[in-house]
Amino acid sequence: MERKRSRSKTIFIILLIAVVIILLGIFIDFGAVWDAIRQADFRILAIAALFLLAGFLLISLRWRFLLGDQPEYLTTLNTDSVSYMIRMVTPLFVPVLRVATIAMATPLTVTQATPGMMAERLLEVVMRLVALVLAAVLVSVSEVTSGWVILWVVLLLGLFYLVIRFGSHADEYLPRLSTWLGQFQRIDEARIRAPLANLGIGLKTVGSARRMIISLLMSLLMWASFWIYHAMMFNALGFNMNTEETLALAAAILVVLPPSTPAMIGVYQGIMVTLMAPFNVADSSTVTAYAILVFLVMMVLWTILGVWGLRRTK
């Protein structure tokens, strides 16, 4: 049954990519897209790529920290790079790839690595919420003042406090969460117990409130790098937006398509173009050029790091 479901999902993704490519071919002028790419400021693009690379390096640093400071950092980076390189061109999930790859290349087992990945997924959800609040604040104001900055910082600290408290009292809160989720018709309480148990183990691995704060700060730095990357890519392509609009749209994109959890080629571009269409910030050719370039830079970096990682893990 599971194999049949997996096969159906793969077929669906392939058909979805085909539909996206057909629609882009019908509605997008690729000559204009190429012109927009050629006119991009590649100096800004290169600096943006450095911020993206910094975020990628932080992904592995946080992952290793959540695994109890093991294995060595370069080994973690190598396995992550191979996983993300594969993800860019396949429908396989990044968390599954990362757990499987690190288990194959190091003494860590899948059972040992899974709880850490569950804790990382929780941090990713937290950062999506942070990006969502940030985007909402930036959209709501015509000018960023010290008052709005203070408000966002207070909301951020409040969210971090809730996460730290949840991590410190996971044994108390997780059974309640399991029971509460089990009340929904489409959720089988028995099936969610194992993931929640792994999350609890992962949070215990993080350990003290101090280590949880460090994990959150790593996540904040990582997503700040991704946020700057998207904002600079807007500038590289000459989008006609003010600073608040640029930062708001960059934050909104992170909520849906963070570089730490990328969609595969084709799907990424389709989602990006669809996401940006309602904002009406540029013509369809420029938006498509943005979707292509943003993904291309990610793909090039992960391919370089992935090939290097394969050579190092042989």
Side-chain angles (χ1 to χ4, degrees):
M1 179 65 73
E2 289 295 330
R3 183 178 298 176
K4 185 177 180 181
R5 186 180 302 172
S6 176
R7 187 182 303 167
S8 300
K9 194 170 185 178
T10 302
I11 293 173
F12 172 77
I13 292 173
I14 292 172
L15 291 175
L16 177 62
I17 294 172
V19 170
V20 168
I21 292 173
I22 292 171
L23 289 176
L24 289 176
I26 293 173
F27 295 106
I28 301 298
D29 181 353
F30 281 97
V33 170
W34 177 241
D35 287 339
I37 292 175
R38 286 172 50 198
Q39 293 170 15
D41 188 330
F42 284 89
R43 292 170 299 179
I44 297 177
L45 190 149
I47 297 172
L50 292 178
F51 279 97
L52 180 64
L53 178 59
F56 287 170
L57 297 178
L58 283 165
I59 288 176
S60 298
L61 187 64
R62 184 184 66 179
W63 176 220
R64 179 179 182 273
F65 187 76
L66 292 173
L67 291 173
D69 299 315
Q70 58 174 328
E72 293 182 355
Y73 175 71
L74 282 180
T75 302
T76 309
L77 177 61
N78 291 337
T79 58
D80 273 348
S81 300
V82 172
S83 300
Y84 276 98
M85 180 179 66
I86 294 171
R87 169 55 183 167
M88 304 304 279
V89 293
T90 70
L92 299 175
F93 290 114
V94 165
V96 176
L97 283 168
R98 292 175 68 195
V99 169
T101 307
I102 204 167
M104 287 188 292
T106 72
L108 283 172
T109 65
V110 171
T111 304
Q112 291 171 320
T114 299
M117 180 54 66
M118 294 299 295
E120 190 187 71
R121 292 300 93 193
L122 173 63
L123 291 172
E124 286 292 283
V125 171
V126 171
M127 295 315 301
R128 285 178 191 260
L129 291 174
V130 169
L132 180 62
V133 171
L134 179 60
V137 169
L138 289 169
V139 166
S140 303
V141 301
S142 57
E143 182 180 356
V144 177
T145 63
S146 58
W148 283 109
V149 173
I150 292 171
L151 174 61
W152 183 78
V153 170
V154 169
L155 292 172
L156 178 65
L157 291 175
L159 182 59
F160 277 18
Y161 169 76
L162 291 175
V163 174
I164 292 168
R165 181 168 178 79
F166 180 79
S168 303
H169 300 79
D171 291 339
E172 176 186 349
Y173 292 131
L174 286 174
R176 294 182 187 178
L177 180 60
S178 176
T179 302
W180 179 73
L181 290 173
Q183 295 176 356
F184 294 91
Q185 281 188 341
R186 295 181 177 274
I187 298 179
D188 184 357
E189 185 177 350
R191 293 190 65 181
I192 63 174
R193 280 178 189 157
L196 289 178
N198 281 324
L199 175 59
I201 296 171
L203 292 173
K204 286 181 180 178
T205 302
V206 175
S208 65
R210 173 179 166 277
R211 287 182 65 86
M212 179 61 77
I213 292 172
I214 293 173
S215 300
L216 287 167
L217 289 176
M218 285 183 185
S219 302
L220 194 60
L221 284 173
M222 180 202 309
W223 278 58
S225 299
F226 295 152
W227 185 35
I228 294 171
Y229 167 66
H230 277 287
M232 292 191 72
M233 291 296 284
F234 282 131
N235 289 331
L237 280 162
F239 277 71
N240 187 24
M241 296 187 290
N242 60 35
T243 302
E244 288 79 10
E245 291 171 338
T246 300
L247 295 177
L249 187 52
I253 289 171
L254 289 183
V255 177
V256 182
L257 288 171
S260 50
T261 314
M264 68 175 290
I265 187 170
V267 175
Y268 185 96
Q269 285 75 21
I271 295 173
M272 180 69 80
V273 170
T274 303
L275 173 65
M276 292 180 62
F279 293 95
N280 197 29
V281 292
D283 59 80
S284 59
S285 299
T286 305
V287 170
T288 304
Y290 178 82
I292 291 172
L293 266 183
V294 164
F295 186 86
L296 181 62
V297 174
M298 287 195 296
M299 190 171 182
V300 168
L301 286 180
W302 278 131
T303 300
I304 293 172
L305 291 171
V307 171
W308 180 66
L310 282 173
R311 293 171 62 89
R312 296 274 299 183
T313 54
K314 279 185 179 180

